[in-house]
Amino acid sequence: MQLRLLATSDLHAHLMPWDYITDKPASLGLAQLAPMIRRLRAEVRNCVLLDNGDFLQGSPLGDWQERHGTAAHPMVVAMNALGYDAGTLGNHEFSHGLAFLERALTVARFPVVSANLGRGGGGPLVPAFVLLDRTVTDTTGQDWPLRIAITGFAPPQTALWEALRLNGAVQGEDILTAAERTLADLAAERPDLTIALAHSGIGSAVPHRNMENAAIPLASLPQVDVIVTGHTHLVFPDTQAAGLPAPADATTGTIYGKPAVMAGFHGSHLGVIDLELTNGPQGWQLSSHRVRAVKSPAIPAADPELARLATPAHQATVTAMRRPLGETTHRLHSNFALVCPCATHRLIAEAQLAHWKDTLPPGFAGVPLLAAVAPFRTGGRGGPGNYSHIPPGPILLRHIAGIYTHPNTPVLLDLSGAEITDWLERAAILFHQIAPKAADAALIRPDIPGFDFDLIHGLSFRIDLSQPPRFDAKGSLIDATARRIGQLSLDGRPIDPEGRYLLATNSYRAGSGIYPGTSRPPVARSDMPISDLIAWHVETRGTIGIEAGQPWGFAPMPGTTVIFETGPEAAALRADIPQFSPEVLGQTEAGFLRFRLSL
């Protein structure tokens, strides 16, 4: 008997093949994948369509639905129309709050499962697993019963990442602990095939407590037959993949010999797993498989039925994104945000500071007020087009959506000067350690996302790349003697390690626990999305004339050069970084532009 599994992952509310940030058609979204889904389903007698989480939030359409939508969520409506058989929850299903998620799921005509995310007071949010009892047809045309068990998992850190929005309403359990319990419960149901929907990436093969990316240890469990993975926005199988632990085979699409797929993000790919099962004395046994991650068609084109269903929300989002807010006298872009001060991020910082200056809680008069801002669009896994660009002239709402892509809300922390310094040390792990006099050393670590480079605007400092990082990605101290941050000052005066500072940040960062001081409750918070706050700031000012300035940079390393990759349009912007004597070296196969920078 042949069974085809189709899987989407990390759609992030991308429904139509339209980029709301650039206001242009784009090859992305579920409606773009839908014709392929219909065709691949029609090719076989037996097919199951699955989603691996993060389908509700992550685009202007998803944000519009949360703020203005009164009808059913367009993503759920589209998934109903395509006939999804099951799905699981991702961490971003909670980014608009639990009540929003529960409303969205009330109209879902397919089961949504999660074995390790539950209610804060105990009890499940959704079922831990579902049994699909299907009648399948073998290669001779004979019908047979087949019981398919589907369970799902998400990073246990979900409750921490969204802590300030969820207020304890959700708790996360270790993936492997929940899996062992759930698979034991499933054994009594005698499934013929067990599929794990893991909104969790392909990380270490060595299990440890509360793994964020636990796909490999999960696949090692004997009861798991097939695994769908995601969360990290990568593609698997991918013959270009490198550095994966031995149990993950990027050529055959297997983990511990079991079929596994990861379908990119925003509808960039569709996961396809073709299984052949043989019926014998022990029941159905998996005898062979073929795994593919099929790329979305290059030409934007929407499935007619899904386009019709999406039209009200889509058109309302397009109209909202075209609303003018003000004007800018300078070009704002993020191409060099990882190597020098960025005017775009200064705008975000000034909007946060303006908000808190008017709403400071009692008892903090005279305490220095600073703002932390992370760059959201700096290439990375989003590709060479993943950069913010606002030309001189009108600032539209879509421009704001492009520079602040998440529904985070403002939070105010009370930190010491020592914690302020360590905040910057944690941000500086983005860079490789560079040996003096090195020639063309890689600058950016590929394992650290750009949005982790959380700098504090208003401070002047230098980053010494010759030093090792002080922290790891989890915020744990790994070298107490390491200091990359030097010459740290505020208004020309050194930061006092024992001094007191107020730091404006966002709800995601404040709930993360990986930056200094984020394990303590904030001193104040607001429910206004920071993107709305920025829009309000631009509308209030009317004309924005922001220059990046030079409050931070790298400590000089004469005779040292590094390689930095950015978007191809940066060739025309290199006058913005004269301090590096930039040399253009050409484009990579992925389309990024390579610069040689002199430190």
Side-chain angles (χ1 to χ4, degrees):
M1 187 272 295
Q2 294 168 342
L3 175 66
R4 173 168 287 174
L5 308 177
L6 303 178
T8 53
S9 188
D10 296 273
L11 290 169
H12 285 288
H14 285 79
L15 177 51
M16 294 293 288
W18 189 265
D19 186 334
Y20 298 102
I21 307 303
T22 62
D23 203 18
K24 296 177 181 177
S27 179
L28 51 77
L30 183 58
Q32 171 91 352
L33 285 180
M36 185 193 304
I37 291 172
R38 297 186 194 278
R39 174 175 57 80
L40 290 173
R41 178 188 273 157
E43 288 177 354
V44 296
R45 292 175 172 176
N46 312 301
C47 187
V48 174
L49 176 60
L50 305 167
D51 184 79
N52 198 44
D54 275 7
F55 57 92
L56 284 183
Q57 182 276 331
S59 77
L61 181 142
D63 292 343
W64 181 90
Q65 178 67 24
E66 189 269 337
R67 298 174 192 178
H68 308 291
T70 56
H73 198 294
M75 285 299 295
V76 178
V77 171
M79 295 168 80
N80 286 341
L82 277 177
Y84 271 77
D85 293 283
T88 194
L89 299 174
N91 53 294
H92 280 292
E93 258 65 77
F94 301 89
S95 293
H96 288 311
L98 182 57
F100 177 81
L101 168 61
E102 291 180 326
R103 285 196 305 272
L105 294 184
T106 57
V107 299
R109 297 203 296 265
F110 54 93
V112 175
V113 298
S114 181
N116 76 312
L117 297 181
R119 297 189 182 277
L125 283 168
V126 293
F129 63 84
V130 66
L131 298 170
L132 303 181
D133 287 306
R134 297 296 170 85
T135 299
V136 295
T137 306
D138 68 14
T139 54
T140 70
Q142 183 175 353
D143 290 341
W144 298 86
L146 184 74
R147 171 164 283 191
I148 304 170
I150 298 174
T151 186
F153 308 91
Q157 294 85 355
T158 297
L160 177 66
W161 293 333
E162 303 292 350
L164 296 183
R165 189 178 294 274
L166 294 173
N167 294 314
V170 174
Q171 63 182 3
E173 183 182 9
D174 176 74
I175 288 177
L176 299 179
T177 301
E180 290 170 355
R181 181 187 66 251
T182 302
L183 293 170
D185 293 342
L186 270 174
E189 305 295 340
R190 302 179 63 84
D192 298 300
L193 184 73
T194 298
I195 302 170
L197 298 179
H199 190 82
S200 181
I202 301 173
S204 173
V206 180
H208 58 80
R209 183 77 178 163
N210 287 331
M211 293 182 75
E212 177 183 349
N213 296 309
I216 292 181
L218 186 60
S220 73
L221 300 178
Q223 303 96 323
V224 173
D225 299 307
V226 178
I227 187 164
V228 179
T229 137
H231 177 58
T232 54
H233 291 198
L234 298 176
V235 177
F236 185 87
D238 180 1
T239 56
Q240 303 300 314
L244 294 175
D249 189 330
T251 302
T252 62
T254 60
I255 303 177
Y256 282 109
K258 300 174 182 180
V261 75
M262 186 188 298
F265 64 102
H266 298 178
S268 65
H269 293 74
L270 178 67
V272 184
I273 301 179
D274 287 313
L275 305 175
E276 184 171 288
L277 299 115
T278 303
N279 203 357
Q282 302 300 318
W284 291 104
Q285 299 293 314
L286 180 59
S287 53
S288 66
H289 62 265
R290 180 191 179 203
V291 183
R292 296 169 285 161
V294 184
K295 191 171 178 59
S296 176
I299 300 175
D303 176 84
E305 181 186 9
L306 266 60
R308 177 181 59 81
L309 294 171
T311 292
H314 170 64
Q315 290 300 330
T317 303
V318 170
T319 299
M321 290 293 102
R322 291 173 177 170
R323 179 166 69 90
L325 302 172
E327 292 191 351
T328 174
T329 59
H330 292 73
R331 175 186 294 275
L332 305 177
H333 66 87
S334 62
N335 284 89
F336 302 125
L338 301 184
V339 295
C340 67
C342 175
T344 303
H345 301 135
R346 186 170 174 179
L347 169 62
I348 299 171
E350 290 190 356
Q352 292 185 81
L353 292 172
H355 169 77
W356 286 116
K357 283 177 182 176
D358 295 334
T359 56
L360 273 183
F364 289 95
V367 178
L369 177 61
L370 306 169
V373 177
F376 287 121
R377 292 166 62 88
T378 55
R381 293 171 186 173
N386 186 36
Y387 293 88
S388 302
H389 286 277
I390 307 176
I395 299 179
L396 310 179
L397 187 58
R398 66 180 176 85
H399 293 137
I400 304 304
I403 66 174
Y404 208 96
T405 58
H406 294 285
N408 302 329
T409 54
V411 173
L412 199 60
L413 302 178
D414 184 5
L415 302 182
S416 69
E419 289 174 321
I420 289 289
T421 305
D422 277 347
W423 191 288
L424 296 174
E425 291 283 359
R426 170 59 183 80
I429 73 170
L430 175 75
F431 306 107
H432 285 290
Q433 184 177 2
I434 308 295
K437 306 294 185 180
D440 295 351
L443 178 63
I444 305 296
R445 288 173 52 179
D447 60 324
I448 304 297
F451 61 75
D452 253 13
F453 190 49
D454 206 30
L455 296 185
I456 300 177
H457 288 253
L459 299 179
S460 296
F461 55 92
R462 291 291 179 263
I463 300 175
D464 186 350
L465 296 178
S466 70
Q467 294 295 306
R470 182 174 173 82
F471 296 98
D472 65 13
K474 296 180 180 179
S476 300
L477 183 67
I478 56 175
D479 189 341
T481 65
R483 284 292 183 189
R484 288 185 163 183
I485 303 301
Q487 303 179 41
L488 179 60
S489 64
L490 172 63
D491 297 329
R493 294 187 296 274
I495 290 291
D496 178 5
E498 304 298 325
R500 190 181 191 188
Y501 300 85
L502 285 173
L503 183 67
T505 184
N506 63 69
S507 52
Y508 173 82
R509 185 69 76 219
S512 69
I514 64 173
Y515 268 74
T518 56
S519 58
R520 300 193 300 270
V523 297
R525 51 183 293 192
S526 169
D527 292 330
M528 176 186 288
I530 291 179
S531 56
D532 286 1
L533 189 153
I534 301 167
W536 169 83
H537 182 68
V538 172
E539 283 190 297
T540 301
R541 291 187 57 180
T543 299
I544 301 296
I546 292 180
E547 296 183 11
Q550 291 293 327
W552 74 271
F554 298 115
M557 297 178 68
T560 306
T561 61
V562 296
I563 300 300
F564 172 67
E565 296 181 1
T566 184
E569 65 283 345
L573 303 170
R574 55 184 166 176
D576 291 357
I577 52 170
Q579 67 272 32
F580 295 115
S581 301
E583 300 176 61
V584 175
L585 301 181
Q587 291 192 22
T588 68
E589 290 186 5
F592 288 96
L593 187 66
R594 297 173 74 242
F595 277 91
R596 174 184 289 125
L597 306 181
S598 297
L599 298 178

